[in-house]
Amino acid sequence: MGLAALPYCVSAGAGRAKDRVDIATDKAAAYIVKMQEANGSFNDSSARQSARNGYAMTALGIMALASIGHQPVDPSREGVAMKKALDFILRKDPRRGPKEYFGSDGSRMYGHGITTLCLTEMLGMGVTRTQEARLREVTTKAVNLILTSQNVRKSSPKHLGGWRYTPTARDSDLSVTVWQLMALRSAKNAGLKVPKEAIDMAVRYLKRSYYSPRNARGEPTNLRSGCGYIPGQPPRYSTAAAGLLSLQVCGEYDTPEVRGTTNWLVNQRVNSKEQWFYYGTYYYAQGMQKREKHIADRARKLTEDVLLKLQRADGSWEGKDGMEKGAGRIYCTAMATLSLSVKHHFLPIYQH
């Protein structure tokens, strides 16, 4: 269950010299730990107010540390920081209500999906029995909120199976949907009760978001495209990459949509000037790693070459466009670390 089943000596690099990625991610981990507040959150004064002291940033920090082999049970500074961060997320917070809505800090369903994904990945890794029991209780409620939200009556059939900004939203978009779907898939992997139909509905929504004419059988005819932000919109780097990883995590490895997205992304530049660059690169790195070896190897090298040049002296990364710059350096650093960690596959969600 989770990282607990993995031999930590592998992640510690026993018996091998650290390469440039190891050095970069070690510096990133040190930066994330340094930014921890007394209450356990990973906080970033460079972020806009809505991104500060929130659940989503703390969850991303935990996942980034876990992706390079650190665990809450470790006596290291990273392990101690992860335990403290988990306690921050699991603390009783009346704002979340009885359904444990993590978007109540202003991050909306984005934050809820990100935080729930973090918690499902940490199941089985509670440091104490009390923390593990609390982890399972809170995670179960957070997953159930995602399921309930998916079943809200939608304003149009094209929105069926997806999610948007609030638990009661009657429309859907890809960027919110992929976080909820990843959380559900991770929860199912961890043994929580997730109906198969919930996953299937979300997959159908993603496939409707794939931008292409359809033949008489409903199959896409353009095999060089990707998912758009909402059904009917053309793909962007970030949305295509998000669709690629999410579909594969759900077992869709050889569908026309996945093959078509791979073909489209192979011809895209990994460019730091792209809007939502860090978000897109996280999905690109993890999604392309599941493709054929020559594609995976090329994508990994491109990702490393671009990201390593952008790392700041203090170990952090900073957004270029206004939206990611406003999200702050914790966000960018966590996403960059998750992108660079593809060689490890420590987080269970990326092992499928």
PDB file of all heavy atoms in Angstrom, residues 101-126:
ATOM      1  N   TYR A 101     -14.690  18.984   2.419  1.00  0.00           N
ATOM      2  CA  TYR A 101     -14.466  19.677   1.157  1.00  0.00           C
ATOM      3  C   TYR A 101     -13.216  20.535   1.259  1.00  0.00           C
ATOM      4  O   TYR A 101     -13.215  21.579   1.891  1.00  0.00           O
ATOM      5  CB  TYR A 101     -15.688  20.535   0.801  1.00  0.00           C
ATOM      6  CG  TYR A 101     -15.509  21.375  -0.441  1.00  0.00           C
ATOM      7  CD1 TYR A 101     -14.951  20.844  -1.599  1.00  0.00           C
ATOM      8  CD2 TYR A 101     -15.929  22.708  -0.455  1.00  0.00           C
ATOM      9  CE1 TYR A 101     -14.796  21.614  -2.736  1.00  0.00           C
ATOM     10  CE2 TYR A 101     -15.784  23.484  -1.600  1.00  0.00           C
ATOM     11  CZ  TYR A 101     -15.213  22.934  -2.735  1.00  0.00           C
ATOM     12  OH  TYR A 101     -15.057  23.704  -3.865  1.00  0.00           O
ATOM     13  N   PHE A 102     -12.131  20.084   0.628  1.00  0.00           N
ATOM     14  CA  PHE A 102     -10.859  20.782   0.728  1.00  0.00           C
ATOM     15  C   PHE A 102     -10.800  22.051  -0.118  1.00  0.00           C
ATOM     16  O   PHE A 102      -9.883  22.847   0.034  1.00  0.00           O
ATOM     17  CB  PHE A 102      -9.715  19.834   0.350  1.00  0.00           C
ATOM     18  CG  PHE A 102      -9.429  18.808   1.407  1.00  0.00           C
ATOM     19  CD1 PHE A 102      -9.853  17.498   1.260  1.00  0.00           C
ATOM     20  CD2 PHE A 102      -8.750  19.162   2.557  1.00  0.00           C
ATOM     21  CE1 PHE A 102      -9.600  16.552   2.240  1.00  0.00           C
ATOM     22  CE2 PHE A 102      -8.486  18.223   3.549  1.00  0.00           C
ATOM     23  CZ  PHE A 102      -8.914  16.916   3.390  1.00  0.00           C
ATOM     24  N   GLY A 103     -11.755  22.229  -1.005  1.00  0.00           N
ATOM     25  CA  GLY A 103     -11.800  23.450  -1.794  1.00  0.00           C
ATOM     26  C   GLY A 103     -12.300  24.649  -1.029  1.00  0.00           C
ATOM     27  O   GLY A 103     -12.344  25.766  -1.560  1.00  0.00           O
ATOM     28  N   SER A 104     -12.647  24.449   0.238  1.00  0.00           N
ATOM     29  CA  SER A 104     -13.182  25.540   1.062  1.00  0.00           C
ATOM     30  C   SER A 104     -12.131  26.598   1.383  1.00  0.00           C
ATOM     31  O   SER A 104     -12.458  27.667   1.898  1.00  0.00           O
ATOM     32  CB  SER A 104     -13.746  24.974   2.363  1.00  0.00           C
ATOM     33  OG  SER A 104     -12.732  24.292   3.094  1.00  0.00           O
ATOM     34  N   ASP A 105     -10.862  26.325   1.080  1.00  0.00           N
ATOM     35  CA  ASP A 105      -9.816  27.321   1.335  1.00  0.00           C
ATOM     36  C   ASP A 105      -9.673  28.309   0.186  1.00  0.00           C
ATOM     37  O   ASP A 105      -8.767  29.140   0.180  1.00  0.00           O
ATOM     38  CB  ASP A 105      -8.474  26.636   1.612  1.00  0.00           C
ATOM     39  CG  ASP A 105      -7.965  25.824   0.411  1.00  0.00           C
ATOM     40  OD1 ASP A 105      -8.666  25.780  -0.628  1.00  0.00           O
ATOM     41  OD2 ASP A 105      -6.879  25.234   0.511  1.00  0.00           O
ATOM     42  N   GLY A 106     -10.566  28.207  -0.810  1.00  0.00           N
ATOM     43  CA  GLY A 106     -10.517  29.076  -1.974  1.00  0.00           C
ATOM     44  C   GLY A 106     -10.006  28.392  -3.217  1.00  0.00           C
ATOM     45  O   GLY A 106     -10.084  28.933  -4.323  1.00  0.00           O
ATOM     46  N   SER A 107      -9.499  27.172  -3.073  1.00  0.00           N
ATOM     47  CA  SER A 107      -8.958  26.442  -4.231  1.00  0.00           C
ATOM     48  C   SER A 107     -10.031  25.696  -5.010  1.00  0.00           C
ATOM     49  O   SER A 107      -9.738  25.109  -6.053  1.00  0.00           O
ATOM     50  CB  SER A 107      -7.886  25.454  -3.770  1.00  0.00           C
ATOM     51  OG  SER A 107      -8.419  24.509  -2.861  1.00  0.00           O
ATOM     52  N   ARG A 108     -11.257  25.671  -4.489  1.00  0.00           N
ATOM     53  CA  ARG A 108     -12.414  25.058  -5.137  1.00  0.00           C
ATOM     54  C   ARG A 108     -12.147  23.579  -5.465  1.00  0.00           C
ATOM     55  O   ARG A 108     -11.395  22.933  -4.774  1.00  0.00           O
ATOM     56  CB  ARG A 108     -12.817  25.870  -6.374  1.00  0.00           C
ATOM     57  CG  ARG A 108     -13.139  27.333  -6.044  1.00  0.00           C
ATOM     58  CD  ARG A 108     -13.617  28.116  -7.232  1.00  0.00           C
ATOM     59  NE  ARG A 108     -12.553  28.351  -8.200  1.00  0.00           N
ATOM     60  CZ  ARG A 108     -12.706  29.039  -9.330  1.00  0.00           C
ATOM     61  NH1 ARG A 108     -13.894  29.556  -9.629  1.00  0.00           N
ATOM     62  NH2 ARG A 108     -11.702  29.211 -10.159  1.00  0.00           N
ATOM     63  N   MET A 109     -12.790  23.073  -6.487  1.00  0.00           N
ATOM     64  CA  MET A 109     -12.642  21.644  -6.772  1.00  0.00           C
ATOM     65  C   MET A 109     -11.244  21.286  -7.273  1.00  0.00           C
ATOM     66  O   MET A 109     -10.826  20.137  -7.184  1.00  0.00           O
ATOM     67  CB  MET A 109     -13.696  21.175  -7.778  1.00  0.00           C
ATOM     68  CG  MET A 109     -15.091  21.022  -7.173  1.00  0.00           C
ATOM     69  SD  MET A 109     -15.196  19.763  -5.854  1.00  0.00           S
ATOM     70  CE  MET A 109     -15.165  18.232  -6.817  1.00  0.00           C
ATOM     71  N   TYR A 110     -10.489  22.265  -7.787  1.00  0.00           N
ATOM     72  CA  TYR A 110      -9.086  21.994  -8.096  1.00  0.00           C
ATOM     73  C   TYR A 110      -8.372  21.485  -6.841  1.00  0.00           C
ATOM     74  O   TYR A 110      -7.750  20.430  -6.830  1.00  0.00           O
ATOM     75  CB  TYR A 110      -8.381  23.272  -8.562  1.00  0.00           C
ATOM     76  CG  TYR A 110      -8.652  23.695  -9.971  1.00  0.00           C
ATOM     77  CD1 TYR A 110      -9.395  24.828 -10.244  1.00  0.00           C
ATOM     78  CD2 TYR A 110      -8.136  22.969 -11.047  1.00  0.00           C
ATOM     79  CE1 TYR A 110      -9.629  25.243 -11.546  1.00  0.00           C
ATOM     80  CE2 TYR A 110      -8.368  23.373 -12.353  1.00  0.00           C
ATOM     81  CZ  TYR A 110      -9.110  24.510 -12.601  1.00  0.00           C
ATOM     82  OH  TYR A 110      -9.347  24.908 -13.880  1.00  0.00           O
ATOM     83  N   GLY A 111      -8.458  22.309  -5.792  1.00  0.00           N
ATOM     84  CA  GLY A 111      -7.777  21.962  -4.551  1.00  0.00           C
ATOM     85  C   GLY A 111      -8.302  20.686  -3.942  1.00  0.00           C
ATOM     86  O   GLY A 111      -7.546  19.909  -3.353  1.00  0.00           O
ATOM     87  N   HIS A 112      -9.614  20.459  -4.078  1.00  0.00           N
ATOM     88  CA  HIS A 112     -10.184  19.235  -3.505  1.00  0.00           C
ATOM     89  C   HIS A 112      -9.626  18.004  -4.221  1.00  0.00           C
ATOM     90  O   HIS A 112      -9.237  17.026  -3.573  1.00  0.00           O
ATOM     91  CB  HIS A 112     -11.708  19.243  -3.609  1.00  0.00           C
ATOM     92  CG  HIS A 112     -12.334  18.068  -2.942  1.00  0.00           C
ATOM     93  ND1 HIS A 112     -12.500  17.990  -1.575  1.00  0.00           N
ATOM     94  CD2 HIS A 112     -12.796  16.892  -3.444  1.00  0.00           C
ATOM     95  CE1 HIS A 112     -13.052  16.818  -1.267  1.00  0.00           C
ATOM     96  NE2 HIS A 112     -13.232  16.143  -2.386  1.00  0.00           N
ATOM     97  N   GLY A 113      -9.568  18.048  -5.546  1.00  0.00           N
ATOM     98  CA  GLY A 113      -9.040  16.904  -6.288  1.00  0.00           C
ATOM     99  C   GLY A 113      -7.574  16.650  -6.005  1.00  0.00           C
ATOM    100  O   GLY A 113      -7.155  15.511  -5.799  1.00  0.00           O
ATOM    101  N   ILE A 114      -6.776  17.724  -5.979  1.00  0.00           N
ATOM    102  CA  ILE A 114      -5.342  17.595  -5.709  1.00  0.00           C
ATOM    103  C   ILE A 114      -5.103  17.011  -4.317  1.00  0.00           C
ATOM    104  O   ILE A 114      -4.302  16.090  -4.135  1.00  0.00           O
ATOM    105  CB  ILE A 114      -4.645  18.960  -5.836  1.00  0.00           C
ATOM    106  CG1 ILE A 114      -4.640  19.419  -7.298  1.00  0.00           C
ATOM    107  CG2 ILE A 114      -3.225  18.905  -5.281  1.00  0.00           C
ATOM    108  CD1 ILE A 114      -4.247  20.871  -7.490  1.00  0.00           C
ATOM    109  N   THR A 115      -5.815  17.555  -3.332  1.00  0.00           N
ATOM    110  CA  THR A 115      -5.611  17.106  -1.949  1.00  0.00           C
ATOM    111  C   THR A 115      -6.096  15.677  -1.757  1.00  0.00           C
ATOM    112  O   THR A 115      -5.442  14.876  -1.069  1.00  0.00           O
ATOM    113  CB  THR A 115      -6.327  18.056  -0.970  1.00  0.00           C
ATOM    114  OG1 THR A 115      -5.920  19.398  -1.240  1.00  0.00           O
ATOM    115  CG2 THR A 115      -6.000  17.707   0.462  1.00  0.00           C
ATOM    116  N   THR A 116      -7.224  15.336  -2.372  1.00  0.00           N
ATOM    117  CA  THR A 116      -7.720  13.969  -2.267  1.00  0.00           C
ATOM    118  C   THR A 116      -6.758  12.991  -2.923  1.00  0.00           C
ATOM    119  O   THR A 116      -6.502  11.899  -2.388  1.00  0.00           O
ATOM    120  CB  THR A 116      -9.120  13.852  -2.896  1.00  0.00           C
ATOM    121  OG1 THR A 116      -9.999  14.813  -2.300  1.00  0.00           O
ATOM    122  CG2 THR A 116      -9.700  12.454  -2.675  1.00  0.00           C
ATOM    123  N   LEU A 117      -6.193  13.356  -4.073  1.00  0.00           N
ATOM    124  CA  LEU A 117      -5.194  12.506  -4.716  1.00  0.00           C
ATOM    125  C   LEU A 117      -4.008  12.283  -3.789  1.00  0.00           C
ATOM    126  O   LEU A 117      -3.521  11.157  -3.643  1.00  0.00           O
ATOM    127  CB  LEU A 117      -4.728  13.132  -6.028  1.00  0.00           C
ATOM    128  CG  LEU A 117      -3.554  12.440  -6.735  1.00  0.00           C
ATOM    129  CD1 LEU A 117      -3.900  10.998  -7.091  1.00  0.00           C
ATOM    130  CD2 LEU A 117      -3.143  13.216  -7.992  1.00  0.00           C
ATOM    131  N   CYS A 118      -3.540  13.337  -3.163  1.00  0.00           N
ATOM    132  CA  CYS A 118      -2.425  13.203  -2.217  1.00  0.00           C
ATOM    133  C   CYS A 118      -2.783  12.217  -1.104  1.00  0.00           C
ATOM    134  O   CYS A 118      -1.995  11.325  -0.783  1.00  0.00           O
ATOM    135  CB  CYS A 118      -2.083  14.567  -1.631  1.00  0.00           C
ATOM    136  SG  CYS A 118      -0.920  14.509  -0.249  1.00  0.00           S
ATOM    137  N   LEU A 119      -3.964  12.363  -0.535  1.00  0.00           N
ATOM    138  CA  LEU A 119      -4.355  11.501   0.585  1.00  0.00           C
ATOM    139  C   LEU A 119      -4.513  10.051   0.156  1.00  0.00           C
ATOM    140  O   LEU A 119      -4.113   9.132   0.886  1.00  0.00           O
ATOM    141  CB  LEU A 119      -5.655  12.015   1.202  1.00  0.00           C
ATOM    142  CG  LEU A 119      -5.583  13.392   1.875  1.00  0.00           C
ATOM    143  CD1 LEU A 119      -6.941  13.779   2.453  1.00  0.00           C
ATOM    144  CD2 LEU A 119      -4.519  13.421   2.976  1.00  0.00           C
ATOM    145  N   THR A 120      -5.074   9.812  -1.027  1.00  0.00           N
ATOM    146  CA  THR A 120      -5.220   8.430  -1.485  1.00  0.00           C
ATOM    147  C   THR A 120      -3.859   7.792  -1.729  1.00  0.00           C
ATOM    148  O   THR A 120      -3.665   6.598  -1.482  1.00  0.00           O
ATOM    149  CB  THR A 120      -6.067   8.352  -2.771  1.00  0.00           C
ATOM    150  OG1 THR A 120      -5.488   9.182  -3.784  1.00  0.00           O
ATOM    151  CG2 THR A 120      -7.500   8.789  -2.516  1.00  0.00           C
ATOM    152  N   GLU A 121      -2.892   8.594  -2.202  1.00  0.00           N
ATOM    153  CA  GLU A 121      -1.548   8.076  -2.413  1.00  0.00           C
ATOM    154  C   GLU A 121      -0.831   7.791  -1.086  1.00  0.00           C
ATOM    155  O   GLU A 121       0.065   6.955  -1.030  1.00  0.00           O
ATOM    156  CB  GLU A 121      -0.729   9.062  -3.247  1.00  0.00           C
ATOM    157  CG  GLU A 121      -1.182   9.173  -4.689  1.00  0.00           C
ATOM    158  CD  GLU A 121      -0.948   7.890  -5.475  1.00  0.00           C
ATOM    159  OE1 GLU A 121       0.201   7.628  -5.859  1.00  0.00           O
ATOM    160  OE2 GLU A 121      -1.919   7.140  -5.687  1.00  0.00           O
ATOM    161  N   MET A 122      -1.231   8.475  -0.036  1.00  0.00           N
ATOM    162  CA  MET A 122      -0.592   8.302   1.271  1.00  0.00           C
ATOM    163  C   MET A 122      -1.254   7.225   2.124  1.00  0.00           C
ATOM    164  O   MET A 122      -0.752   6.894   3.199  1.00  0.00           O
ATOM    165  CB  MET A 122      -0.606   9.630   2.042  1.00  0.00           C
ATOM    166  CG  MET A 122       0.272  10.729   1.463  1.00  0.00           C
ATOM    167  SD  MET A 122       2.055  10.329   1.517  1.00  0.00           S
ATOM    168  CE  MET A 122       2.343  10.039  -0.239  1.00  0.00           C
ATOM    169  N   LEU A 123      -2.371   6.680   1.678  1.00  0.00           N
ATOM    170  CA  LEU A 123      -3.043   5.637   2.459  1.00  0.00           C
ATOM    171  C   LEU A 123      -2.077   4.491   2.752  1.00  0.00           C
ATOM    172  O   LEU A 123      -1.366   4.021   1.876  1.00  0.00           O
ATOM    173  CB  LEU A 123      -4.271   5.111   1.716  1.00  0.00           C
ATOM    174  CG  LEU A 123      -5.532   5.965   1.800  1.00  0.00           C
ATOM    175  CD1 LEU A 123      -6.596   5.458   0.834  1.00  0.00           C
ATOM    176  CD2 LEU A 123      -6.083   5.974   3.229  1.00  0.00           C
ATOM    177  N   GLY A 124      -2.073   4.054   3.993  1.00  0.00           N
ATOM    178  CA  GLY A 124      -1.152   3.018   4.420  1.00  0.00           C
ATOM    179  C   GLY A 124       0.177   3.554   4.886  1.00  0.00           C
ATOM    180  O   GLY A 124       1.048   2.799   5.302  1.00  0.00           O
ATOM    181  N   MET A 125       0.330   4.890   4.866  1.00  0.00           N
ATOM    182  CA  MET A 125       1.607   5.497   5.225  1.00  0.00           C
ATOM    183  C   MET A 125       1.507   6.381   6.467  1.00  0.00           C
ATOM    184  O   MET A 125       2.415   7.155   6.752  1.00  0.00           O
ATOM    185  CB  MET A 125       2.148   6.321   4.053  1.00  0.00           C
ATOM    186  CG  MET A 125       2.514   5.460   2.859  1.00  0.00           C
ATOM    187  SD  MET A 125       3.164   6.447   1.511  1.00  0.00           S
ATOM    188  CE  MET A 125       4.616   7.141   2.294  1.00  0.00           C
ATOM    189  N   GLY A 126       0.377   6.309   7.170  1.00  0.00           N
ATOM    190  CA  GLY A 126       0.277   7.056   8.413  1.00  0.00           C
ATOM    191  C   GLY A 126       1.375   6.637   9.380  1.00  0.00           C
ATOM    192  O   GLY A 126       1.668   5.449   9.522  1.00  0.00           O
TER     193      GLY A 126
END
